[in-house]
Structures are given as structure tokens and as C-alpha cells.
Amino acid sequence: MRWAVAETDDGGVRLCPLTQDGRPAGPVVSEPSLIEAVRSRPEVERWVWRSTAESYRRLLAAGVRVERCYDVEAAEALLIGHEEGQWGQPRSLAAAWARLHGLPVPQDTPARAAETQPSLFEPAPVPLPPGTDEFTALLEVYAGQVARTAKTEQPERMRLLLASESAGMLVAAEMARTGVPWRADVHRQVLDELLGERYPGGLEPRRMAELADEVSRAFGEGVRVRPDLPNDIIRAFARAGIALTSTRKWELQQIDHPAVAPLLAYKSLYRLYTAHGWSWLQQWVHDGRFRPEYLPGGTVSGRWTTNGGGALQIPKVIRQAVRADPGWRLVVADADQMEPRVLAAVSRDRGLMEVAGSGRDLYADLAARAFGGDRDQAKLALLGAIYGQTSGDALKHMADLRRRYPAAVAYVDEAARAGEEGRLVRTWMGRTCPPASMATPDEAGLPQEDDAPTGYGSSSAARARGRFTRNFVVQGSAADWALLMLAALRQSLAGAELRAELVFFQHDEVIVHCPAEEAGAVSEAIAMAADSAGRIAFGPTPVRFPFTTAVVECYGDAK
């Protein structure tokens, strides 16, 4: 049974059971607090509330765990995207209520700044119009969302997407509270070894200062160049007769000049110093834990982001600081070739599904069948199809890939065509791409090709959107599968009454922190969650989603 719950102005809550179509199934009752309301009703299967990020954080602080929820604001974001292709539109309860009543839609409250400690004054939610009761608005909006979901192209898939997105919200809140085990002393040692002594007054550490001097000397006596300023670097090379369009690593590596080596070394240390240096450590790591604020569905494709902290870009050298507690282990699991396997499942290409179900190394199996055993060529061809890389070596192998796996290539080709023509494109479960004006290829992590050949569209903007939507249907469907995997793993760990705790997730990788004796059970739970997610998301297919799993004491030892 589902129950709706919303807070009142005096700090209490009102709640009631719901029917399948979102209507009240019993009397509205009051409780003095959200914590008491949830704790006293363990039989409730799913709680319907405005925002998991706000409600569940307080419940977790009180030691109250929720099995399932329905996040109205997360659902609104997905539904308005599905209906209008308007990713990023206001998603608050007030915005959803305004749409329901044909009123002007208020903007969402700006995301609060990431903090390491709870704030005394949390940002207030977007207010409803004066005289509008929040609980009544919640019931109306939820019933409206249930009706809107029933009208989508694939209602069952959309219901699954809404449920999995809400499950992801629960996982994110729990991981933020648990935190990643982090050794601050090891982190400081790494910084001291790589960056050298720190100087007072905010000056660069010793090693960076030495490299900056090397860069300047490479351009001649008396020349002073700031390696942290791209325009300074471009002007310095121009004076040396070398034209640069940027200071990106790949462009610098093509230059034969004595400034290149120290400049690249400086850039590497600069990223470490600014993103995960001593200031980051002081701000983000407390009591042996790094607690980022995860934002499920933070990108148009459904991939997660974080509100500060850079949790999804932990440098390899800093992973040495991620260490299990004494007597515990980190179970680090990486999905093997996730996106190609997802393409096989969503395209229903018989040949590619057979390859994706035959073993752990999809590219090696593909190479044995279609590319004369050359794994690199097989990988290049398949990723080229997914990412729209249709030049160079990728183009050479596309014809063979298209001949052997026509349904798979046709699937991404049609997504590209739809994108170029301005049509909406959806993931398998219904997550919808934004219009061309709201996303660019780099937002989804797509490669950009200045010399992309003409295709279905007549402009570079249309071709760019085609490359975006080509990858969107695969990357987005993979993100949807990952939500189901997380939900299944969370349920499995809790059901087995293990002490194991989910502590980290990014795209295709998950980390569970557990007592050493539970590592085997955790590894098995991850494998079972991956298979379960594949069946639930894509139905009966031969496609398998294996993980490469490492049981380690230090995250840096996992790869």
C-alpha cells in the first residue's frame, strides 16, 4: 500500500493511504513529525512525498530507513521531459501544481551550495500560492502524475522509470550519509610527495612553482609566462611562431617545443591542487569519511552528478586515500562493456545479443566473429556506431558492422536521424532527450568532430544533435539499467541482513564497504543485481551484464 505524506506549517505531517490511481483510500490523519509517522507504519510499501533529498535525510538522521518511495519532484522532471522534451524545467511541487491548474510556473529554488555540515537555515522549497494546502496539492499532483503516466507511449516502462529514479534518490541519500571511507593522512602524504611544500599566502606549492619557472625559461631569458592562464600560453607560443587554438593536452602533445613537457606536468598538478588539494581535503573529509551530495539524473542522459566535491572524478593517484576500515574490505565492481550490451538489448539485434550473452569480453567475442580476431578494430567499430564517430578507421569498419548487425546499427542510425530532424528521442524506459537548444554533444560526454560528414540534417547544429541522440538512446538506457541495478543491490544487501554498505556509484562502477567475511556474499549480490536489472529493464534476452569485481583494502589497488 502507498501512503502520501506532507509536512504542515507547525512541523507536523498529514498523511493518508492511496488507491492505485492516486486517490485517497482512507481518512487523512495527522502525526507530530515525519519521523514518527514513518517509524510507526512499517507496513507501508511505498511513501509518496515531495522530495526524497529533503525528507529522507531527516529520517536517516533519526535511524529510520524506507524501503521504497515515490519522489513527486523527480517524477515531474521525467514526465515534463517525456511530454515536451523539456529537460531541466522547474520540477518543484509548486511548479507541478501550477501546470496542473494552468497557472504560471514558478522557477525552482537555486541549488544550495554544497556544505560539509548541516546548515542552520536550509533553503525553503518553492512556496505554493497563498491559501494552498501542501498536502492537498501533493495529492492532486500525484494523481495527475499517475494519469499522465498512463497516457505515455509505454506506460509500464514509464512507471518502471519513475520507480527506479525514486529508488536512486534513496540510494543517493543513504550513500551521502554513510560516506566513502577516506584516510586523510594518506591523502596529505600523496599531496606532499607530488606538490611539495606549501608556501604561505596562497602561493603555489613548491613543485608547481618550479614547473612554472621551467615553462617561462623555455620561452627565453626574462620571459614570464603564467601556465595557469591559457591565453598567456597561447600568446607565448605565438611569439615562438607556433599557432595554438587551445591549451588542451592533445594539441600540446603535437608540438615540438621545450615548454611542452613542464607545461603538461604543471597542468596535471594544477588539476590535483585545485580539485583535490589540501583545501578540498579540509572541506570535504571529516571523521574518516567523504560525504558528497549526489544528484541522480543530474544530466540529460540520466547519469548522476554531484553538488560539489568532485566525487565522480576522483584522480587515480588520490584513490590511494580511499581505504576500508580495519577488518573491512572494498568490493569494487566495474560493469563490463555496459553500453554495447545495452545496445544489444534495446535493438534486439539477434547477432549482437548472442555476442553480448556469450562471455565477459564482448569486444573479443565480437572480434572473433566479425573482425578477424582484432579486438581493437571490433571495439573501434562498435563504439563508433554508438558515438557517431564516422571518420578515419571507424568508418572503415562500419560497413562490416552494419552488414553483420543490421538491427543494432539501424537503431542508433534512426536515433540520429530523429535527432537531426528535431523529433523527440527516448531511452528504452522513456527518458527523453532535450531539444537542440538545451543540450550539446559535450554535455553528454560525446566526442565532437569538426569534420563530421553530412548526414540526414543540413546544418552542423542538426548533425551535432544527431550525434547526441545517437548516443543518448544507449547511454540513457544504460543509466536507467544502472538505477535498477542499484535498487536491486540495495534490497539484496538489506534483505541478507549484512553489515555491508553502499558507499559509491558512478556510471558503471559501484563500491560496497563491508566486513572482510561478507565480501563473497557482496560480490554475488552485485552479480545477481546486474542480471535482475537486465531482466526487469529489457525483458527476456540472452544479453548478460557481467561485472569485473575486485576485493581490496585500497581503492587504488582495484584497477
Side-chain angles (χ1 to χ4, degrees):
M1 179 178 290
R2 298 187 178 197
W3 279 63
V5 60
E7 294 191 72
T8 57
D9 292 339
D10 61 2
V13 295
R14 298 172 68 200
L15 61 160
C16 75
L18 299 169
T19 64
Q20 289 288 353
D21 61 357
R23 307 294 176 180
V28 176
V29 297
S30 298
E31 292 282 1
S33 72
L34 175 67
I35 295 167
E36 180 60 30
V38 175
R39 179 182 282 148
S40 62
R41 293 172 175 81
E43 73 280 2
V44 173
E45 296 177 356
R46 193 182 303 271
W47 288 96
V48 177
W49 52 38
R50 178 171 54 82
S51 168
T52 303
E54 295 176 11
S55 297
Y56 198 38
R57 181 170 52 181
R58 296 200 298 277
L59 290 170
L60 287 172
V64 179
R65 187 179 184 275
V66 166
E67 289 298 321
R68 296 179 180 86
C69 76
Y70 179 98
D71 188 311
V72 165
E73 294 189 352
E76 184 66 17
L78 291 169
L79 286 169
I80 195 66
H82 188 279
E83 294 159 348
E84 302 179 16
Q86 295 294 309
W87 182 83
Q89 293 299 297
R91 57 190 287 171
S92 68
L93 176 65
W97 188 86
R99 290 189 186 99
L100 192 64
H101 291 271
L103 299 174
V105 177
Q107 294 299 308
D108 286 345
T109 301
R112 67 183 178 89
E115 299 168 347
T116 57
Q117 300 295 331
S119 173
L120 180 61
F121 301 104
E122 294 291 346
V126 180
L128 289 155
T132 305
D133 176 68
E134 180 169 327
F135 185 68
T136 301
L138 178 71
L139 292 178
E140 290 182 7
V141 167
Y142 176 63
Q145 289 182 345
V146 170
R148 290 159 64 190
T149 302
K151 296 178 182 178
T152 58
E153 295 177 4
Q154 298 280 353
E156 288 304 315
R157 293 185 191 176
M158 179 56 71
R159 291 187 189 100
L160 183 60
L161 178 61
L162 298 181
S164 60
E165 191 88 333
S166 290
M169 295 290 179
L170 293 175
V171 171
E174 290 171 358
M175 289 199 305
R177 179 160 184 82
T178 301
V180 181
W182 203 282
R183 287 278 300 277
D185 58 330
V186 174
H187 191 142
R188 292 190 190 96
Q189 182 180 353
V190 170
L191 295 177
D192 291 343
E193 291 175 355
L194 294 178
L195 297 174
E197 296 86 359
R198 285 182 285 174
Y199 298 138
L203 297 177
E204 293 178 336
R206 176 181 56 79
R207 183 55 184 148
M208 288 178 61
E210 292 172 350
L211 288 169
D213 289 340
E214 286 187 50
V215 171
S216 293
R217 287 196 300 270
F219 288 105
E221 284 295 325
V223 176
R224 185 62 185 167
V225 178
R226 288 277 302 275
D228 58 327
L229 299 178
N231 287 339
D232 228 25
I233 294 297
I234 291 174
R235 284 194 294 266
F237 275 111
R239 289 193 295 269
I242 300 172
L244 289 178
T245 61
S246 72
T247 58
R248 293 177 179 174
K249 181 178 179 179
W250 65 267
E251 189 169 355
L252 290 171
Q253 287 176 327
Q254 300 179 46
I255 298 171
D256 183 13
H257 191 278
V260 171
L263 178 57
L264 291 175
Y266 178 93
K267 286 167 66 70
S268 177
L269 292 183
Y270 180 82
R271 285 192 295 272
L272 175 64
Y273 175 60
T274 56
H276 290 90
W278 293 281
S279 296
W280 180 94
L281 182 60
Q282 182 178 10
Q283 179 184 4
W284 286 99
V285 178
H286 297 272
D287 302 320
R289 291 293 186 272
F290 166 42
R291 295 182 173 86
E293 181 181 347
Y294 296 95
L295 302 176
T299 67
V300 296
S301 65
R303 282 188 168 185
W304 289 22
T305 59
T306 59
N307 184 19
L312 305 186
Q313 296 88 32
I314 302 175
K316 289 184 178 180
V317 67
I318 295 298
R319 293 176 185 177
Q320 299 176 46
V322 182
R323 302 203 175 188
D325 293 341
W328 287 51
R329 297 292 185 270
L330 299 173
V331 181
V332 183
D334 235 340
D336 297 319
Q337 302 106 22
M338 179 175 65
E339 290 189 2
R341 294 176 188 277
V342 167
L343 174 58
V346 297
S347 69
R348 294 301 200 258
D349 187 293
R350 292 184 179 181
L352 192 56
M353 284 196 295
E354 182 181 348
V355 174
S358 61
R360 182 172 295 275
D361 191 339
L362 180 147
Y363 299 128
D365 291 342
L366 181 66
R369 298 166 188 250
F371 292 92
D374 191 324
R375 185 182 185 279
D376 290 339
Q377 287 187 5
K379 181 177 181 179
L380 182 66
L382 191 51
L383 293 183
I386 294 174
Y387 287 95
Q389 293 172 299
T390 54
S391 60
D393 290 339
L395 184 59
K396 299 176 183 177
H397 308 300
M398 182 61 75
D400 193 26
L401 191 71
R402 193 183 304 277
R403 183 177 64 256
R404 291 179 178 268
Y405 307 106
V409 177
Y411 191 88
V412 289
D413 280 350
E414 171 55 26
R417 182 182 297 108
E420 293 190 22
E421 294 174 355
R423 292 183 276 135
L424 294 182
V425 178
R426 311 190 195 283
T427 66
W428 179 260
M429 287 165 55
R431 194 182 300 271
T432 306
C433 72
S437 61
M438 298 182 65
T440 57
D442 59 303
E443 285 185 72
L446 293 169
Q448 298 189 59
E449 300 180 11
D450 295 332
D451 58 344
T454 57
Y456 314 113
S458 58
S459 68
S460 59
R463 294 193 297 274
R465 187 167 191 263
R467 290 195 300 275
F468 173 78
T469 53
R470 171 186 291 274
N471 180 247
F472 178 90
V473 294
V474 180
Q475 186 184 96
S477 296
D480 297 343
W481 168 86
L483 284 171
L484 291 169
M485 181 274 297
L486 285 175
L489 177 58
R490 173 181 181 264
Q491 187 177 40
S492 177
L493 296 178
E497 298 183 352
L498 300 176
R499 296 167 64 195
E501 49 195 22
L502 259 168
V503 297
F504 184 73
F505 165 70
Q506 65 165 359
H507 312 328
D508 56 0
E509 181 181 62
V510 64
I511 300 179
V512 178
H513 186 224
C514 67
E517 63 272 17
E518 293 182 2
V522 168
S523 298
E524 184 177 348
I526 292 172
M528 292 177 63
D531 285 342
S532 173
R535 291 192 302 271
I536 294 172
F538 309 121
T541 74
V543 178
R544 293 294 173 262
F545 295 90
F547 275 84
T548 295
T549 303
V551 179
V552 296
E553 294 184 47
C554 171
Y555 183 25
D557 294 337
K559 297 181 179 180

